[in-house]
Amino acid sequence: MKSITVQDLVNRFHLELLAGQTGLDRTIGKSRVHRPGLEFVGYFDFFPQQRVQVLGRKEITYLHKQSEGERDNRIGHIVQYHPPCFVVTWNQEIEGLRYLITHCDKEGIPLLRTKEPTTKWIGMVDAFLTKTLAEEIQVHGVCVNVAGIGILLRGKSGVGKSETALTLIRRGHRLVADDAVVLKKLSPETILGTHDGKTKEFLALRSVGLINVARIYGRGAFQDETRIVLDIELTQWKENELYNELDVEPKYTTYMDVRIPHIQISLQPGRDVAGLVEAAANNWYLRLQGYSAAEEFMQRIEASVQQQQQKH
């Protein structure tokens, strides 16, 4: 199971440490933060103790309205579960946090502070944790973004994946990763494609070598990540194989239990492979809107047959 430390969170968001310095090596293993609410009244049945605990103005104001003894009692109950850390938003005054500082120092739980508003900070840290802690795998292929549509190009070595990506880049689309594509599972329906850091912006072309697409074609030729919505496999054309162009039965490839629509494009001299990838991307978008060219074609055929029957 992936995890990061509280120190990693401090470094990423430039958080101020108010207490609990000895706990900066505590691990964070859950991707969403939590705002204590029911826990203040003693209900802990579903308390997510492995998550970062966020205290905004609402939570701190509520605690201030309690007597000193009651406030210590309620904070003490949460602290005893040893969450990774507490984060106070809105840059709230230290004087009003003395009781928190005491508890956190005693238990070695980092108490952190940010100037950001609660909702904004939660959105930023949730996105960061979701990506950082996501289950991931690495696959051989090329990841591109074609007109806003994330595509994973796969195929055997030398089939022409990188060359196809180059043509797409020259047509105004973007490279995400070449050769080593990192896939992250952000949700049961979402796969994010990105690079491994080492190959960022690089495209390997046979007979040419490595090129930096951002340096040659500009910053618009590259982006760090994209949601994968199409899995396209490039294969060699087989003369005796039947290619049914009217087949509307969808096919899928599964990555980490997430199904991605799969298309196979067979290569043949003279075929505009990049153009076929563009067409596949645009056709997928139309299907998403509820339109199918094949279905409309079949409807026209049926309508024509009916008209002919009526004439007779």
Side-chain angles (χ1 to χ4, degrees), residues 45-304:
D45 285 5
F46 300 97
F47 179 50
Q49 62 193 73
Q50 294 180 313
R51 293 181 179 174
V52 174
Q53 305 297 310
V54 179
L55 301 173
R57 286 176 172 171
K58 179 177 68 175
E59 290 79 16
I60 296 300
T61 299
Y62 171 80
L63 290 170
H64 283 169
K65 291 182 178 180
Q66 310 305 309
S67 66
E68 184 176 344
E70 188 62 31
R71 184 171 59 218
D72 284 341
N73 184 51
R74 295 185 182 189
I75 284 296
H77 284 159
I78 295 179
V79 168
Q80 72 179 357
Y81 282 89
H82 289 87
C85 63
F86 291 95
V87 178
V88 176
T89 57
W90 287 104
N91 212 28
Q92 296 178 72
E93 293 295 330
I94 291 179
E95 283 305 314
L97 305 173
R98 292 296 178 189
Y99 58 96
L100 274 170
I101 292 173
T102 300
H103 279 287
C104 289
D105 269 334
K106 180 181 178 183
E107 298 294 335
I109 301 173
L111 176 62
L112 311 168
R113 183 169 67 168
T114 176
K115 64 181 180 180
E116 299 292 348
T118 309
T119 303
K120 179 181 178 182
W121 192 80
I122 287 175
M124 291 190 302
V125 76
D126 273 351
F128 168 72
L129 291 175
T130 297
K131 290 180 183 179
T132 304
L133 301 177
E135 178 186 356
E136 67 178 50
I137 59 173
Q138 186 169 293
V139 299
H140 175 68
V142 179
C143 183
V144 289
N145 184 283
V146 177
I149 297 170
I151 296 175
L152 178 63
L153 290 175
R154 295 186 299 108
K156 294 181 179 179
S157 255
V159 76
K161 300 182 295 296
S162 297
E163 291 78 2
T164 300
L166 177 64
T167 304
L168 289 167
I169 291 166
R170 293 175 59 195
R171 293 181 181 180
H173 306 297
R174 296 178 175 182
L175 174 71
V176 176
D178 180 42
D179 191 38
V181 181
V182 177
L183 302 181
K184 293 175 175 279
K185 181 180 178 180
L186 301 188
S187 77
E189 298 85 26
T190 306
I191 293 288
L192 187 77
T194 186
H195 52 81
D196 63 1
K198 299 186 292 293
T199 60
K200 180 179 180 179
E201 300 176 351
F202 288 131
L203 186 65
L205 299 171
R206 292 178 184 272
S207 303
V208 176
L210 280 177
I211 67 169
N212 187 309
V213 298
R215 295 289 184 98
I216 295 178
Y217 299 103
R219 295 300 310 167
F222 174 81
Q223 69 182 59
D224 270 310
E225 58 191 32
T226 187
R227 179 183 176 185
I228 302 295
V229 297
L230 270 182
D231 176 77
I232 296 181
E233 183 181 6
L234 304 183
T235 62
Q236 294 295 344
W237 184 279
K238 296 180 181 179
E239 290 296 336
N240 298 323
E241 190 161 325
L242 178 64
Y243 296 94
N244 185 3
E245 305 300 338
L246 296 182
D247 185 11
V248 295
E249 185 67 27
K251 298 177 182 178
Y252 298 90
T253 304
T254 300
Y255 297 104
M256 295 174 286
D257 297 325
V258 179
R259 294 203 313 165
I260 304 294
H262 171 80
I263 296 173
Q264 187 178 94
I265 294 179
S266 296
L267 308 182
Q268 194 179 39
R271 294 197 95 190
D272 179 8
V273 181
L276 292 173
V277 171
E278 287 179 316
N282 290 325
N283 199 45
W284 174 86
Y285 180 78
L286 288 175
R287 279 181 172 271
L288 196 64
Q289 307 304 309
Y291 172 80
S292 169
E295 289 177 4
E296 182 181 2
F297 177 73
M298 294 306 298
Q299 288 171 1
R300 291 184 183 182
I301 295 297
E302 291 175 4
S304 176

